[in-house]
Amino acid sequence: GAGVSQSPRYKVAKRGQDVALRCDPISGHVSLFWYQQALGQGPEFLTYFQNEAQLDKSGLPSDRFFAERPEGSVSTLKIQRTQQEDSAVYLCASSYQVGSGSRYEQFFGPGTRLTVL
Amino acid sequence: KDQVFQPSTVASSEGAVVEIFCNHSVSNAYNFFWYLHFPGCAPRLLVKGSKPSQQGRYNMTYERFSSSLLILQVREADAAVYYCACPGILTGGGNKLTFGTGTQLKVEL
């Protein structure tokens, strides 16, 4: 069974370059999340989709960060004019449910490690 | 600010029981989620809920603002980072997870 997949697994960018990170959630999962994990820290919430609708983007650190999920499945996180402080692991997670009932679970991908030189 | 607190490092001997403690200040959070994370791999959910529960060698204690993960019969292969997380409400009814900074488990042979 396929889990959440992310590509590329590693990305090196020069400062000022644009990057695009892809997430393939588990088929049929309604909710999709992006998290940013800096070195030595826990994942931090960036943005949330319910199907194709981006319902919360309160965690995006600046307007250089943009996410989309146009058909309610695959999602792309784009970072424009990358800066060194953008270096982190970007994790994607998906969930079948919307709410947080007893069966709620977020399934994570392996992440994309972005290094900005 | 919503925060989750856990120790940075815990050490255990092989075969022992190890406890990792977590507490939070996340608004309206009633559940805890415990994840296992090996670097370069996807974080994996071990145990979760709003009451004490067990999944294999993993036990979770529960109080309103704190939880402990207990790992029974610790093995060398358990050396990894363990994250505690609590759900917060998002616009549209979803739940983001607020994570602690992770606890590195060191296993002494």
Side-chain angles (χ1 to χ4, degrees):
Chain A
V4 178
S5 61
Q6 294 186 244
S7 61
R9 294 295 314 279
Y10 304 91
K11 178 69 178 178
V12 178
K14 291 184 180 177
R15 204 175 120 214
Q17 279 186 330
D18 298 348
V19 298
L21 312 181
R22 177 187 168 109
C23 172
D24 285 79
I26 294 172
S27 178
H29 277 199
V30 170
S31 300
L32 185 144
F33 305 80
W34 283 98
Y35 292 85
Q36 179 190 58
Q37 184 174 22
L39 188 64
Q41 301 297 313
E44 292 200 1
F45 170 79
L46 293 177
T47 187
Y48 161 63
F49 290 85
Q50 196 177 117
N51 296 306
E52 69 280 1
Q54 187 177 20
L55 297 185
D56 194 306
K57 51 183 180 179
S58 60
L60 296 177
S62 78
D63 58 8
R64 295 185 295 104
F65 286 70
F66 172 76
E68 60 183 7
R69 192 186 186 198
E71 297 178 0
S73 55
V74 171
S75 176
T76 303
L77 176 67
K78 298 179 180 177
I79 309 173
Q80 297 176 323
R81 304 181 304 281
T82 53
Q83 304 293 316
Q84 283 190 319
E85 60 263 29
D86 300 336
S87 296
V89 174
Y90 291 85
L91 292 165
C92 176
S94 69
S95 172
Y96 177 73
Q97 288 180 273
V98 171
S100 66
S102 61
R103 297 171 64 185
Y104 180 80
E105 180 177 346
Q106 288 188 21
F107 295 84
F108 282 82
T112 294
R113 179 176 294 279
L114 173 64
T115 303
V116 181
L117 303 177
Chain B
K1 181 185 175 184
D2 291 345
Q3 286 187 287
V4 175
F5 307 94
Q6 57 183 124
S8 60
T9 307
V10 165
S12 175
S13 302
E14 261 200 322
V17 176
V18 67
E19 179 177 11
I20 301 173
F21 180 77
C22 168
N23 67 305
H24 77 87
S25 62
V26 179
S27 301
N28 298 311
Y30 291 86
N31 294 315
F32 288 87
F33 292 72
W34 285 96
Y35 282 87
L36 163 65
H37 192 205
F38 291 103
C41 297
R44 178 168 72 92
L45 182 67
L46 295 174
V47 65
K48 64 178 175 75
S50 56
K51 59 183 179 181
S53 59
Q54 180 177 1
Q55 289 289 332
R57 293 189 299 118
Y58 305 102
N59 281 358
M60 187 187 100
T61 70
Y62 178 85
E63 292 186 22
R64 174 66 180 86
F65 292 101
S66 66
S67 171
S68 286
L69 174 70
L70 292 101
I71 306 174
L72 311 180
Q73 300 172 326
V74 169
R75 308 165 183 166
E76 187 180 358
D78 293 329
V81 179
Y82 293 81
Y83 288 101
C84 175
C86 296
I89 298 172
L90 290 171
T91 304
N95 292 92
K96 70 173 183 178
L97 291 176
T98 298
F99 284 82
T101 54
T103 299
Q104 173 71 56
L105 172 61
K106 298 185 178 181
V107 180
E108 298 158 355
L109 303 178

